[in-house]
Structures are given as structure tokens and as C-alpha cells.
């Protein structure tokens, strides 16, 4: 029922010595403090050494850093940062159903080139962050709270599904890559930030399918959804049951590389631009919308099925490309082929609804 406390000296350690050795931390034991490492060896080799945490590991001193190092961790208890401390994860962490990560106010848990599983909880200004490493993996993780991939360039690769009940913020050219077919579920939001157009929600792996559940939003200012980063993406695709929204004035979100099956809403609003550079196939419930001065641009690709709806200064436009197709689409609102030279080809049918207007000028063509 006791506590191990690490002080201010950053060379302090709680080591696990001996090849294959396993340290089991009991359920009523706390390892806490300011600076030092937990898991690395000192006197003996530590190949395949490990820690089973049934207790509490807490970086709980402002400005300090406790680092999990070398020994792999199975977490059945609590691993946390509190009071302005940082818990740095430099060992693989396998979380069980009872294992949790918790970041309190002004505190950080930092993923440093390792794989983690389990539940991530953060409150207020607390955050789970990641380094810019292609070795950072979320393996079947549940996020409750804030994952900060925005403060600095960061990278996380998701495998075996991600449950998002909080926010994942991407900025500074950061990457959240979904590797292999999986579902992004929950009731949370991925926010794309303002710095550059290279913030990326990737779909990695040949033939991979990312399914976005109905309660999930991908929104924000600048970024790309669909491109690959680490693996080939031949025939990769996105099934959207949620909301993808370019909703910040002057920003641009692009759908690229992966094909999109849309069962809900793809939109631009509030002066944002949604660039469709990948083929979009709408189901009967699928909509592509431009509201509140939002602009949707068809860019060398096709929209098939569903409806395009515009209002309050929003518009659907197209580049000057012979590869732009609108097939069996119902147009409710403004199809603007007048602002610049544009081209749209219709194969099958087009329905102009009662509010549908197709404006053609500037040498544009509707064929």
C-alpha cells in the first residue's frame, strides 16, 4: 500500500533487470514523482523484460518528466500525468479493459515512437500528444478527451479501429493514418487546423476501407482526407456515414486519392472550400452541400448519385477538366460554371430541382 517517489534528478530510475524479467506492480502501489525513468535496466541485460501495472504510475510534479523506457508494459491500472507533469511513453503499452491513460489540467502524456492500446482520458487543458514518428501506433484505442496532434508536427497510425468520443486536433503538417480496413466510431471530432494544407487524415494500405460512423465529424480549416502516408493505397476507400465539413472561412479541405462512398454529408460552409479531387458516390441519403458562402469544387473527378444542395451564397463549381462528371445527380441550388472557365459532363441524367440553377459563362461547358 506504499509509494515510490522519484525526485528532481533525471537519472533516477525504477529498473527491471534480467532477461525475461517481469515486475508486477500491485493494485495499491503508486510510482510517482518529478523526473526519472521506469523500466530500463542497470545491472543486467533486459531482453523481453516487462512491467505489469495493476497500480498507479503518475508524473505529478510541475515541469517534471517520468519516462517509461525499455521494458514493455501491460497496463491494468492507471498511467497518468497530473499537476503540470509529463509522462513520456518510450515503451510499448498494452492496455487491458481496465487500463487507462489520464492527462489532467496542464499535463501531458507523450507517445514517443511506440504502440499503445487502452483508453485515453484527458480533462480541460490536459492532453495526450505524440512525436513525429512513424512508429507511433494506436491499437484499438478509445479516446475520451483531447488528443493534441496540433501543437507540434506529430504522427499516429491507427490499427484495429478507433473509438473517438473526444477531439483529435491536427495541425503543423501532422498525420492521423488509418492503416488497414477499420471503423472510426464514437461521437467525437477530428479538427483540421490553420497551418498549411498538409494536415492529413490518411487511409493507408492497398484495398483498405475506412468507415466513418454516423456520430463522427471531420471538420476545420486546412487539410486532406484520403491520401496515404506510410503504405500504398491502391483501391483504398472511405465510407462516410458522418460529416466531413470545410467550415472555416478561407480554408480548404481536399478529398484525395481514396474513393468516397457517401451516405450522409460532405459540405462547405462559412466561407470554407471543399475540394473534391476523388470520386464521390452518393447513396440515396448522400448529400454534397454548400451553405453560407461555402464553395464545393469538382476537381478532375466525378460525383455520382445523391444531391448537391446550395444556399445562402454557397455554390458548386468545377475546374476546366474533361474528367469532371456529374452522373444521376439532383442539383438543388447554384451550379456555377460562370465564375471561371469550367467543364462538367453528364452521363446518365441530371435533375434540376425547383431551386436548381446552372449558370454558364466564361467559355464553360455543360455537356
Amino acid at each position: 500500500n506504499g509509494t515510490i517517489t522519484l525526485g528532481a534528478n533525471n537519472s533516477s530510475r525504477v529498473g527491471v533487470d534480467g532477461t525475461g524479467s517481469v515486475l508486477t506492480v500491485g493494485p495499491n502501489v503508486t510510482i510517482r514523482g518529478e523526473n526519472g525513468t521506469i523500466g530500463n535496466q542497470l545491472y543486467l541485460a533486459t531482453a523481453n523484460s516487462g512491467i505489469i501495472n495493476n497500480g498507479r504510475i503518475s508524473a505529478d510534479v510541475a515541469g517534471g518528466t517520468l519516462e517509461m523506457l525499455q521494458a514493455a508494459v501491460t497496463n491494468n491500472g492507471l498511467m497518468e500525468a497530473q499537476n503540470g507533469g509529463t509522462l513520456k511513453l518510450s515503451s510499448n503499452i498494452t492496455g487491458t479493459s481496465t487500463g487507462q491513460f489520464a492527462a489532467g489540467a496542464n499535463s501531458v502524456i507523450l507517445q514517443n515512437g511506440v504502440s499503445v492500446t487502452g483508453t485515453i482520458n484527458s480533462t480541460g487543458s490536459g492532453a495526450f500528444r505524440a512525436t513525429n514518428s512513424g512508429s507511433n501506433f494506436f491499437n484499438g484505442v478509445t479516446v475520451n478527451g483531447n488528443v493534441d496532434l496540433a501543437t507540434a508536427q506529430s504522427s499516429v497510425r491507427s490499427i484495429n479501429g478507433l473509438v473517438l468520443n473526444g477531439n483529435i486536433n491536427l495541425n503543423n503538417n501532422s498525420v492521423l493514418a488509418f492503416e488497414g480496413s477499420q471503423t472510426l466510431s464514437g461521437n467525437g471530432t477530428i479538427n483540421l487546423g490553420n497551418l498549411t494544407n498538409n494536415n492529413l487524415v490518411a487511409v493507408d494500405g492497398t484495398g483498405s476501407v475506412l468507415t466513418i460512423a454516423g456520430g463522427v465529424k471531420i471538420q476545420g480549416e486546412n487539410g486532406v482526407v484520403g491520401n496515404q502516408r506510410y503504405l500504398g493505397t491502391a483501391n483504398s476507400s472511405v465510407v462516410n456515414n458522418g460529416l466531413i465539413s470545410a467550415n472555416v472561412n478561407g480554408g480548404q479541405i481536399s478529398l484525395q486519392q481514396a474513393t468516397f462512398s457517401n451516405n450522409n454529408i460532405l459540405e462547405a460552409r462559412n466561407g470554407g472550400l471543399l475540394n473534391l479531387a476523388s470520386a464521390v458516390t452518393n447513396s440515396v441519403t448522400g448529400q454534397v452541400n454548400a451553405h453560407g458562402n461555402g464553395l464545393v469544387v469538382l476537381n478532375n473527378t466525378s460525383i455520382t448519385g445523391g444531391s448537391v444542395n446550395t444556399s445562402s451564397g454557397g455554390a458548386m463549381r468545377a475546374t476546366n477538366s474533361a474528367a469532371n462528371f456529374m452522373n444521376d445527380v439532383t442539383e438543388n441550388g447554384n451550379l456555377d460554371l460562370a465564375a471561371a472557365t469550367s467543364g462538367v459532363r453528364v452521363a446518365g441524367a441530371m435533375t434540376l430541382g425547383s431551386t436548381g440553377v446552372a449558370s454558364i459563362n466564361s467559355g464553360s461547358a455543360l455537356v
Side-chain angles (χ1 to χ4, degrees):
N1 298 294
T3 301
I4 297 174
T5 300
L6 296 168
N9 191 311
N10 60 15
S11 62
S12 304
R13 80 176 72 195
V14 177
V16 182
D17 275 17
T19 298
S21 296
V22 177
L23 169 64
T24 300
V25 180
N28 298 313
V29 173
T30 297
I31 302 175
R32 60 160 296 274
E34 185 171 358
N35 292 310
T37 58
I38 302 171
N40 53 327
Q41 62 86 24
L42 182 59
Y43 299 107
L44 302 174
T46 60
N48 302 316
S49 63
I51 296 174
I52 298 174
N53 176 46
N54 299 317
R56 176 172 167 259
I57 296 174
S58 180
D60 59 1
V61 178
T65 299
L66 295 186
E67 183 174 10
M68 307 304 300
L69 193 62
Q70 206 165 63
V73 179
T74 299
N75 183 38
N76 303 311
L78 177 63
M79 303 181 70
E80 67 175 7
Q82 299 289 340
N83 306 323
T86 296
L87 180 63
K88 186 176 182 180
L89 307 179
S90 300
S91 294
N92 291 332
I93 313 292
T94 301
T96 64
S97 59
T98 59
Q100 295 188 33
F101 300 97
N106 299 311
S107 305
V108 173
I109 297 177
L110 179 64
Q111 184 180 5
N112 184 33
V114 296
S115 174
V116 300
T117 65
T119 300
I120 297 170
N121 299 305
S122 60
T123 58
S125 56
F128 188 103
R129 294 178 182 164
T131 58
N132 187 29
S133 170
S135 297
N136 286 327
F137 283 88
F138 279 1
N139 186 352
V141 164
T142 296
V143 173
N144 301 317
N146 178 33
V147 171
D148 177 11
L149 307 182
T151 299
Q153 187 173 10
S154 312
S155 182
V156 170
R157 301 163 73 176
S158 174
I159 57 176
N160 297 320
L162 176 62
V163 181
L164 179 58
N165 294 316
N167 296 289
I168 298 179
N169 301 316
L170 274 74
N171 210 355
N172 283 296
N173 300 320
S174 293
V175 178
L176 176 63
F178 292 89
E179 189 169 307
S181 294
Q182 60 186 292
T183 298
L184 171 60
S185 60
N187 297 288
T189 302
I190 295 174
N191 296 299
L192 300 173
N194 63 329
L195 297 178
T196 81
N197 291 319
N198 294 320
N199 305 310
L200 176 59
V201 178
V203 183
D204 274 12
T206 299
S208 295
V209 179
L210 171 63
T211 300
I212 301 171
V216 175
K217 299 178 184 177
I218 300 175
Q219 66 174 18
E221 188 165 355
N222 293 313
V224 175
V225 181
N227 272 17
Q228 64 87 24
R229 173 54 59 92
Y230 297 104
L231 303 174
T233 61
N235 302 316
S236 63
S237 60
V238 176
V239 177
N240 178 50
N241 299 312
L243 171 66
I244 299 176
S245 178
N247 58 7
V248 177
N249 185 44
Q252 176 177 308
I253 293 177
S254 295
L255 308 187
Q256 293 181 192
Q257 209 165 65
T259 58
F260 285 75
S261 296
N262 181 40
N263 301 313
N264 201 10
I265 295 176
L266 308 174
E267 70 170 14
R269 62 171 60 244
N270 304 327
L273 187 152
L274 181 65
N275 176 41
L276 304 181
S278 290
V280 174
T281 300
N282 293 310
S283 67
V284 293
T285 58
Q287 300 180 35
V288 178
N289 298 335
H291 302 306
N293 296 313
L295 182 62
V296 177
V297 176
L298 188 64
N299 184 10
N300 201 40
T301 190
S302 65
I303 299 177
T304 301
S307 61
V308 173
N309 308 290
T310 74
S311 66
S312 303
M316 174 79 189
R317 293 179 183 167
T319 58
N320 186 27
S321 169
N324 287 329
F325 284 87
M326 296 179 69
N327 301 326
D328 300 310
V329 174
T330 297
E331 177 70 31
N332 299 310
N334 180 20
L335 176 59
D336 179 8
L337 306 182
T341 304
S342 312
V344 170
R345 300 164 69 181
V346 177
M350 171 181 281
T351 300
L352 285 178
S354 59
T355 60
V357 176
S359 303
I360 306 173
N361 205 354
S362 302
S364 297
L366 176 64
V367 180

